[in-house]
Amino acid sequence: MEKTVYDRLADVVGSEWVSDEPEITVGYSRDLATYARFGRSRSPACIVMPGSTSEVQDIMNVARRFKLPIVAIGTALNISAAHILHAGGILLDFKRMDKILEIDEENCTATIQPYVTLARLSCEMQKRNMFIPIPGAPSTASALSNLVVWGDTHKVTGRIDFQYMCVVGVEMVLPDGKVLRTGSLADVYTDESFWPHGPGPDLWMLQRWVPNSYGVVTAATVRGYPLDAEFKPFWVAFEDIEDAAAAYIEYCREEITTGSSLYGGFKYHYFMDTDECGWRAGRIHPKFMLCLTLQGTKRRVEYEENTLRRIVDKYGGRVLTDRLPFYQMFVDSHIGMAGSFSSDLGATKYIFCFGIGPGFIGPITPGNLERTWKTYARLIAEDPNMGDPEEWNFPFDIGLIGYPCPGGHYMMIELFATVFPNEPLAKKINPRFYRKLWKELERIGVSGEHGRLGTGRSSELGVIPTYYKLAEGFKEILDPEGIMHPGEWLPSVSYKR
Amino acid sequence: MLRCPKCGFCRSVLPMAMREAKFGAQCPSGERWKFESYYASGRTEVGIALLEGRLKWTDKLNRILFACPTCGLCDWWCENISRHHPLKMLEELRKRYVEELGPLPGHKRFLDNIEERHNAYVEPHEERFVWMPEGIKPPAKADVMYFVGCTSSYREIEIAQATVEVLDKLGVDFGVMWGEEWCCGSPAFRTGNIDVAKKAMQHNLDYLKKIGAKTLITECPGCYRAFKDVAAYDLPEPEFEILHVTELIEDRVKELAKDGKLKKIEEKWAYHDPCHLGRHMMVYEPPRNVLKAIPGLELLELPRNRQNAWCCGSGGGVKASYPDFAIWAASERLDEVDYVGTKSLTTPCPFCRRNLRDASVAGERRIEVRDVMEILLRAL
């Protein structure tokens, strides 16, 4: 990096918090996307750690002055190469901005900086008898990044709504160095008021799906929910996908539970002490499981339990347990997101224990669940490598996670094969398998869009292009120099260096 | 190494065990310097780049590779999550670094001493047992042998004294190695100087084999782990049992407590888990049980405890090469002691005790740091 630029950055944050040494920059060269599927590994030219919003403003001015690409990371845990710059540039690392600035118990909100993890925020909220709807990310992920930028993975259902709805204010530094505040954070007139998405026009969803494209978010206010007096997590098992899917659809339509997820395949690893236990449990237990959390008043929980048990009986399922400990009952069975786990070690069995192999993440209609699973299972079985038990040495080769959107009109699903993606066999299989999978899923009416992991690309979807067109317009206005993560997310906006 | 999915658990307390957001972080080196290369996941990238030749072996790697107290939190998580072993990787990278560039200056000092004087401090070998209390004269050969270790022999002698007095009062027939006790090699193992470490350890193993020891007890968790882990360094598996002193005496202390033969100590002591004993060797309860047996003593758990314990910061060669960082890490731990509302901290490790006490003095914290054996001795 040019000495002039380096010195300017060091002047802003202090020399301790800036580095262009390759030994340091290489630490930022990969993310989960690289691990999961994409081979690209690239170091930024320079890492800068701001300690405040005003420092971010100054850094942005330096980047604009020298027309340097700039990108920010929260906790560096993302699945979409969101912080891997195409070439050189400045990477903003927010580890110094790690404070919970305020918890407003009266209005159930917390104002946080980018490096506050979901676990830390959740911990403080629970101490005050509140909880936050945690998105589909592990507890080590940045709460701000996940809620502001994504927040759409529907791990909570029914009465709570999408996670991104809990974002009630955002503070963002724009490429010209100005600060944009939205929602409650923009209401400068009345300190005491709480006006989630006022005073409008509200741009709180500006950053969704296009991280690092318009500016850098330096703080957000998120809304929590009061903890209910009663809660009861259930695990319900079914032998086949038909019954599990039918029961699941009924639960969605009844709008019971605050958290519900459907698991299939290697799910037992989530709550067993050892791999061996997991394999054995998988052999003797039913293949599909619903994790359902009831909460509310005593009367409400009683009502939901009756409904739940009626549906279990109707579809021939059985309740595995209704005696799980409380952790974060609004989302079930993911470490850091929930963890109704029976042991600490079991809690460590997150999806990364197998990695994300050839699979799919995206929305489907619940009615398509059964066909989607069967299509996936058939393709795995027909694959010359994965279908060969000698070569594909995993006792549970495929897994399924599904969670409904509010109202149950559609749901997000994740289909996984158990393999470490960087292993040679996976590299051989993936390109071939993905092509086949996309084609087959589209044939049954399923496409998907979830960052880079969806099967459908923006051009193949009906609604998304409109969104992207709007987003490109915002990009032209807010980042005319194209310094924010050039070449990513909004690829049709050229980098005008 | 390619299995690191960047999940970030290597830097976090188990979420379910998190009681305070401010004590939710892990990884002392990462928290101190904050750049990714100081966390296990970033170090993995450094390691990959070194192996692929994208990075050169230069002294710029010093701090990244050696300013880590090898507390093992990252390894504990990664083993369970992605079957990746960042600590093993780090120790291998340290070994390669030493082969390429030689030991760090701060480490060379104790390495030379281990070779010349058989201890990690600049002390004469013949003075290793000058601390032995009058009236206690353990034999050089016994079924149960107490391996004292360098820190207790030369720097924290009150711990060695308390340990032999406790063993004596509990009626344990034990011996010590006297002039045949050499450094266990732990500091050399941890800093990539494997040849020096193996030579020292081999001497100890040979002597213990020669006298036919049946049980080896240590008070120092560093020595404990070094003896337990010899097979990992292609040394012969010891034929004797290896126990931490609290594992040996736990039941006897409980019996004494049951019979009302322990004196009352009405004090509040917070407990610090040494990494070498806890996360690395999974010995969490015996020291606690010894303390809990003392009537009147209230044992306080720090917010980060057991497998989530925050390291004192002195291990892995850090105290010798990065003393300021070691004090910083210990100060972070002392914040937890303040948080639980006491000024008394106990640990069953001379090295932890030394660093935590240094931090207490440096920060004028007025926190008393004592070994578990010292407290137990008062109750006997």
Side-chain angles (χ1 to χ4, degrees), chain B residues 314-334:
Chain B
S314 62
V318 166
K319 184 87 174 160
S321 281
Y322 300 97
D324 292 345
F325 166 49
I327 294 294
W328 174 86
S331 301
E332 295 285 302
R333 191 59 161 161
L334 296 182

mmCIF file of all heavy atoms in Angstrom, chain B residues 314-334:
data_model
loop_
_atom_site.group_PDB
_atom_site.id
_atom_site.type_symbol
_atom_site.label_atom_id
_atom_site.label_comp_id
_atom_site.label_asym_id
_atom_site.label_seq_id
_atom_site.Cartn_x
_atom_site.Cartn_y
_atom_site.Cartn_z
ATOM 1 N N SER B 314 0.437 -16.867 30.677
ATOM 2 C CA SER B 314 1.886 -17.014 30.827
ATOM 3 C C SER B 314 2.456 -18.212 30.079
ATOM 4 O O SER B 314 3.651 -18.286 29.838
ATOM 5 C CB SER B 314 2.245 -17.139 32.311
ATOM 6 O OG SER B 314 1.640 -18.292 32.864
ATOM 7 N N GLY B 315 1.612 -19.146 29.681
ATOM 8 C CA GLY B 315 2.120 -20.389 29.088
ATOM 9 C C GLY B 315 2.610 -20.232 27.663
ATOM 10 O O GLY B 315 2.568 -19.144 27.079
ATOM 11 N N GLY B 316 3.081 -21.346 27.107
ATOM 12 C CA GLY B 316 3.503 -21.370 25.706
ATOM 13 C C GLY B 316 4.702 -20.501 25.404
ATOM 14 O O GLY B 316 4.895 -20.097 24.257
ATOM 15 N N GLY B 317 5.482 -20.169 26.424
ATOM 16 C CA GLY B 317 6.664 -19.329 26.212
ATOM 17 C C GLY B 317 6.365 -17.848 26.196
ATOM 18 O O GLY B 317 7.244 -17.014 25.946
ATOM 19 N N VAL B 318 5.121 -17.475 26.471
ATOM 20 C CA VAL B 318 4.717 -16.067 26.413
ATOM 21 C C VAL B 318 5.386 -15.245 27.515
ATOM 22 O O VAL B 318 5.880 -14.143 27.279
ATOM 23 C CB VAL B 318 3.179 -15.937 26.500
ATOM 24 C CG1 VAL B 318 2.754 -14.503 26.780
ATOM 25 C CG2 VAL B 318 2.546 -16.427 25.202
ATOM 26 N N LYS B 319 5.435 -15.801 28.715
ATOM 27 C CA LYS B 319 5.993 -15.038 29.843
ATOM 28 C C LYS B 319 7.449 -14.649 29.563
ATOM 29 O O LYS B 319 7.899 -13.578 29.968
ATOM 30 C CB LYS B 319 5.896 -15.890 31.112
ATOM 31 C CG LYS B 319 6.345 -15.201 32.392
ATOM 32 C CD LYS B 319 5.241 -14.425 33.038
ATOM 33 C CE LYS B 319 5.663 -13.851 34.390
ATOM 34 N NZ LYS B 319 4.813 -12.743 34.808
ATOM 35 N N ALA B 320 8.165 -15.529 28.869
ATOM 36 C CA ALA B 320 9.579 -15.256 28.603
ATOM 37 C C ALA B 320 9.768 -14.264 27.465
ATOM 38 O O ALA B 320 10.670 -13.432 27.501
ATOM 39 C CB ALA B 320 10.301 -16.567 28.264
ATOM 40 N N SER B 321 8.908 -14.330 26.458
ATOM 41 C CA SER B 321 9.130 -13.484 25.281
ATOM 42 C C SER B 321 8.209 -12.272 25.193
ATOM 43 O O SER B 321 8.561 -11.276 24.571
ATOM 44 C CB SER B 321 8.951 -14.310 24.003
ATOM 45 O OG SER B 321 10.100 -15.062 23.772
ATOM 46 N N TYR B 322 7.042 -12.376 25.771
ATOM 47 C CA TYR B 322 6.086 -11.254 25.706
ATOM 48 C C TYR B 322 5.521 -10.980 27.098
ATOM 49 O O TYR B 322 4.316 -11.162 27.342
ATOM 50 C CB TYR B 322 4.955 -11.585 24.713
ATOM 51 C CG TYR B 322 5.469 -11.827 23.328
ATOM 52 C CD1 TYR B 322 5.704 -13.125 22.875
ATOM 53 C CD2 TYR B 322 5.775 -10.770 22.485
ATOM 54 C CE1 TYR B 322 6.218 -13.353 21.615
ATOM 55 C CE2 TYR B 322 6.290 -10.980 21.227
ATOM 56 C CZ TYR B 322 6.505 -12.280 20.799
ATOM 57 O OH TYR B 322 7.030 -12.502 19.545
ATOM 58 N N PRO B 323 6.388 -10.538 28.030
ATOM 59 C CA PRO B 323 5.927 -10.393 29.416
ATOM 60 C C PRO B 323 4.779 -9.395 29.588
ATOM 61 O O PRO B 323 3.900 -9.610 30.418
ATOM 62 C CB PRO B 323 7.188 -9.940 30.162
ATOM 63 C CG PRO B 323 8.147 -9.486 29.120
ATOM 64 C CD PRO B 323 7.810 -10.215 27.864
ATOM 65 N N ASP B 324 4.791 -8.344 28.788
ATOM 66 C CA ASP B 324 3.706 -7.360 28.919
ATOM 67 C C ASP B 324 2.361 -7.966 28.543
ATOM 68 O O ASP B 324 1.334 -7.706 29.172
ATOM 69 C CB ASP B 324 3.968 -6.134 28.033
ATOM 70 C CG ASP B 324 5.149 -5.335 28.526
ATOM 71 O OD1 ASP B 324 5.579 -5.563 29.678
ATOM 72 O OD2 ASP B 324 5.664 -4.504 27.757
ATOM 73 N N PHE B 325 2.384 -8.773 27.509
ATOM 74 C CA PHE B 325 1.151 -9.441 27.079
ATOM 75 C C PHE B 325 0.689 -10.429 28.154
ATOM 76 O O PHE B 325 -0.508 -10.533 28.447
ATOM 77 C CB PHE B 325 1.405 -10.151 25.737
ATOM 78 C CG PHE B 325 0.343 -11.135 25.338
ATOM 79 C CD1 PHE B 325 -1.002 -10.794 25.380
ATOM 80 C CD2 PHE B 325 0.686 -12.411 24.904
ATOM 81 C CE1 PHE B 325 -1.984 -11.710 24.994
ATOM 82 C CE2 PHE B 325 -0.286 -13.328 24.529
ATOM 83 C CZ PHE B 325 -1.620 -12.973 24.586
ATOM 84 N N ALA B 326 1.646 -11.118 28.762
ATOM 85 C CA ALA B 326 1.287 -12.072 29.823
ATOM 86 C C ALA B 326 0.580 -11.349 30.965
ATOM 87 O O ALA B 326 -0.437 -11.827 31.495
ATOM 88 C CB ALA B 326 2.536 -12.788 30.331
ATOM 89 N N ILE B 327 1.082 -10.184 31.318
ATOM 90 C CA ILE B 327 0.465 -9.405 32.400
ATOM 91 C C ILE B 327 -0.912 -8.901 31.974
ATOM 92 O O ILE B 327 -1.868 -8.915 32.756
ATOM 93 C CB ILE B 327 1.381 -8.212 32.803
ATOM 94 C CG1 ILE B 327 2.681 -8.730 33.432
ATOM 95 C CG2 ILE B 327 0.667 -7.242 33.731
ATOM 96 C CD1 ILE B 327 2.512 -9.439 34.752
ATOM 97 N N TRP B 328 -1.019 -8.496 30.721
ATOM 98 C CA TRP B 328 -2.324 -8.027 30.224
ATOM 99 C C TRP B 328 -3.374 -9.134 30.337
ATOM 100 O O TRP B 328 -4.497 -8.913 30.810
ATOM 101 C CB TRP B 328 -2.183 -7.574 28.762
ATOM 102 C CG TRP B 328 -3.493 -7.213 28.138
ATOM 103 C CD1 TRP B 328 -4.121 -6.004 28.200
ATOM 104 C CD2 TRP B 328 -4.374 -8.086 27.403
ATOM 105 N NE1 TRP B 328 -5.322 -6.064 27.534
ATOM 106 C CE2 TRP B 328 -5.500 -7.323 27.040
ATOM 107 C CE3 TRP B 328 -4.314 -9.419 27.006
ATOM 108 C CZ2 TRP B 328 -6.559 -7.851 26.300
ATOM 109 C CZ3 TRP B 328 -5.372 -9.954 26.278
ATOM 110 C CH2 TRP B 328 -6.477 -9.181 25.930
ATOM 111 N N ALA B 329 -2.988 -10.337 29.884
ATOM 112 C CA ALA B 329 -3.955 -11.453 29.917
ATOM 113 C C ALA B 329 -4.357 -11.777 31.352
ATOM 114 O O ALA B 329 -5.536 -12.026 31.640
ATOM 115 C CB ALA B 329 -3.345 -12.681 29.246
ATOM 116 N N ALA B 330 -3.375 -11.765 32.252
ATOM 117 C CA ALA B 330 -3.686 -12.058 33.658
ATOM 118 C C ALA B 330 -4.587 -10.974 34.255
ATOM 119 O O ALA B 330 -5.471 -11.260 35.070
ATOM 120 C CB ALA B 330 -2.391 -12.178 34.455
ATOM 121 N N SER B 331 -4.354 -9.736 33.841
ATOM 122 C CA SER B 331 -5.198 -8.643 34.357
ATOM 123 C C SER B 331 -6.650 -8.829 33.942
ATOM 124 O O SER B 331 -7.573 -8.525 34.701
ATOM 125 C CB SER B 331 -4.712 -7.285 33.824
ATOM 126 O OG SER B 331 -3.394 -7.082 34.212
ATOM 127 N N GLU B 332 -6.833 -9.313 32.715
ATOM 128 C CA GLU B 332 -8.193 -9.604 32.259
ATOM 129 C C GLU B 332 -8.851 -10.641 33.174
ATOM 130 O O GLU B 332 -10.044 -10.574 33.469
ATOM 131 C CB GLU B 332 -8.166 -10.151 30.821
ATOM 132 C CG GLU B 332 -7.683 -9.167 29.789
ATOM 133 C CD GLU B 332 -8.717 -8.107 29.471
ATOM 134 O OE1 GLU B 332 -9.816 -8.469 29.055
ATOM 135 O OE2 GLU B 332 -8.414 -6.905 29.667
ATOM 136 N N ARG B 333 -8.047 -11.612 33.598
ATOM 137 C CA ARG B 333 -8.565 -12.644 34.496
ATOM 138 C C ARG B 333 -8.902 -12.039 35.862
ATOM 139 O O ARG B 333 -9.915 -12.401 36.488
ATOM 140 C CB ARG B 333 -7.518 -13.754 34.649
ATOM 141 C CG ARG B 333 -8.005 -15.019 35.341
ATOM 142 C CD ARG B 333 -9.161 -15.657 34.630
ATOM 143 N NE ARG B 333 -9.381 -17.053 34.985
ATOM 144 C CZ ARG B 333 -10.522 -17.688 34.776
ATOM 145 N NH1 ARG B 333 -11.546 -17.047 34.213
ATOM 146 N NH2 ARG B 333 -10.657 -18.952 35.083
ATOM 147 N N LEU B 334 -8.067 -11.132 36.313
ATOM 148 C CA LEU B 334 -8.315 -10.524 37.622
ATOM 149 C C LEU B 334 -9.593 -9.684 37.619
ATOM 150 O O LEU B 334 -10.238 -9.511 38.662
ATOM 151 C CB LEU B 334 -7.110 -9.680 38.058
ATOM 152 C CG LEU B 334 -5.803 -10.460 38.280
ATOM 153 C CD1 LEU B 334 -4.698 -9.522 38.752
ATOM 154 C CD2 LEU B 334 -5.977 -11.606 39.275
#
